[in-house]
Amino acid sequence: MKRNNNNKTVSLVLGSGGARGLAHIGIIRWLLENNYTIHSISGCSIGSVIGGIYAAGQLDKFEEWVRSLTLVDIASYMDISWGSSGLIKGEKLINKLKDLIGDTHIERLPIKFVAVAADVKNEKEVWLSKGNLFDAIRASISLPLFLTPVNINNTELIDGGVLNPIPIAPVFSDSSDLIIAVNLGAKSDALENKPTASNNKTSALWRKNIKEPQQSQSGMYQIADQAFDAMQNAIARQKLAAYPPDYIIEIARNACGTLDFHKADEMIDLGYNKAAELLKDI
């Protein structure tokens, strides 16, 4: 129930979906420009990155940086892990974000923030609402096969999207006027097929960076990526039925490839326009 049409408070739920999550930035921009106050944020995977950085008050710095990324830049942040739990350690990326944003703890953030990760051993979600912000983010983005898991409080955690790609439950009982969720795995848009080719370029660069056989790895990780998307979409439908938000902003699953972080301009604009399209008449 709205309290004041000029001061709408929102609980924002930012879903997982790789580089498509850069659309979250555009969505936040539109909300702030249109008299919405973001009261709380729940995010998993890329949603935890954007949500946590916004909650820390540093979205401007992050947006400027991510808009400048090139394919070569993206490959340079992929530090090889020689273990068996994932290809990339993720330390270079997290250290860059700490340098850019500054290190902080979730309890010190000016708005409520929850990063959602997955404890696969015990088959349950883990809601990270205190402790180091970037430890929580790093756990939440630990995509299986790609990024190594993270140990927090003696629990091995991986990408929250494995169990809950649109984590509405952490904010469901908040006292905000609206719950707005962002689904990055919506039905593919037939008009948006070009990103597949650019994603192949990105994949080729990181495969070269880790010196893996290109043809076999391409097939293996393409299948893994498709399987993960299919799993997330099935789970997302169940979660949305159990915890229906007031509004869902849909970003097509083929809007860009998982690793197309060099397409920030396009994805931020897409998020902004999708938010305007859905919410302008509220």
Side-chain angles (χ1 to χ4, degrees):
M1 183 172 63
K2 300 187 181 82
R3 287 191 291 267
N4 185 326
N5 195 44
N6 293 318
N7 185 26
K8 300 174 285 290
T9 58
V10 172
S11 289
L12 189 59
V13 182
L14 303 178
S16 64
R20 296 191 298 276
L22 297 175
H24 294 323
I25 298 174
I27 291 165
I28 290 172
R29 293 297 185 204
W30 190 91
L31 290 172
L32 297 179
E33 289 176 11
N34 287 274
N35 300 317
Y36 290 85
T37 299
I38 298 174
H39 174 72
S40 59
I41 298 176
S42 170
C44 70
S45 200
I46 186 64
S48 73
V49 177
I50 307 299
I53 288 172
Y54 171 75
Q58 300 295 333
L59 190 62
D60 289 347
K61 286 184 180 179
F62 177 80
E63 181 178 347
E64 181 180 3
W65 172 72
V66 79
R67 283 183 183 272
S68 73
L69 286 177
T70 66
L71 287 168
V72 174
D73 293 330
I74 295 166
S76 73
Y77 289 114
M78 296 180 182
D79 43 354
I80 305 165
S81 169
W82 298 109
S84 59
S85 59
L87 288 172
I88 306 299
K89 291 185 288 186
E91 293 175 3
K92 284 186 178 180
L93 175 61
I94 292 298
N95 288 336
K96 173 61 179 179
L97 292 177
K98 287 181 179 179
D99 290 342
L100 187 70
I101 306 304
D103 210 359
T104 188
H105 281 65
I106 296 174
E107 306 94 293
R108 299 174 189 162
L109 300 177
I111 64 175
K112 177 185 174 183
F113 172 71
V114 178
V116 177
D119 173 4
V120 175
K121 181 179 180 181
N122 295 301
E123 300 179 2
K124 65 180 183 179
E125 298 173 31
V126 175
W127 298 358
L128 299 168
S129 58
K130 59 183 179 180
N132 184 272
L133 173 62
F134 284 104
D135 285 351
I137 288 173
R138 176 62 183 83
S140 186
I141 66 172
S142 299
L143 183 67
L145 294 179
F146 188 68
L147 281 163
T148 57
V150 172
N151 191 292
I152 294 180
N153 297 326
N154 296 317
T155 301
E156 191 171 66
L157 301 177
I158 64 170
D159 194 305
V162 169
L163 295 178
N164 195 349
I166 309 176
I168 297 174
V171 301
F172 203 70
S173 61
D174 287 355
S175 58
S176 54
D177 296 324
L178 299 170
I179 297 176
I180 298 175
V182 184
N183 175 21
L184 301 179
K187 185 177 179 181
S188 296
D189 189 334
L191 299 177
E192 295 175 353
N193 290 323
K194 290 184 180 179
T196 302
S198 63
N199 189 45
N200 289 340
K201 292 181 182 178
T202 315
S203 299
L205 263 176
W206 71 257
R207 281 196 305 270
K208 180 179 179 181
N209 195 44
I210 61 174
K211 294 179 173 54
E212 293 284 350
Q214 181 167 330
Q215 186 173 356
S216 61
Q217 293 300 313
S218 176
M220 181 171 69
Y221 288 104
Q222 184 178 23
I223 291 171
D225 189 47
Q226 291 172 346
F228 192 68
D229 270 350
M231 178 190 70
Q232 284 191 313
N233 294 336
I235 295 171
R237 288 192 292 270
Q238 295 174 357
K239 296 294 185 180
L240 290 169
Y243 297 96
D246 294 292
Y247 296 93
I248 305 172
I249 298 173
E250 305 272 17
I251 305 296
R253 72 190 69 164
N254 67 334
C256 78
T258 302
L259 298 175
D260 281 349
F261 287 95
H262 62 292
K263 303 192 75 172
D265 290 347
E266 179 180 329
M267 293 311 303
I268 292 170
D269 287 347
L270 177 62
Y272 187 96
N273 293 333
K274 287 290 187 180
E277 180 183 328
L278 179 67
L279 303 172
K280 64 182 179 181
D281 294 328
I282 294 179

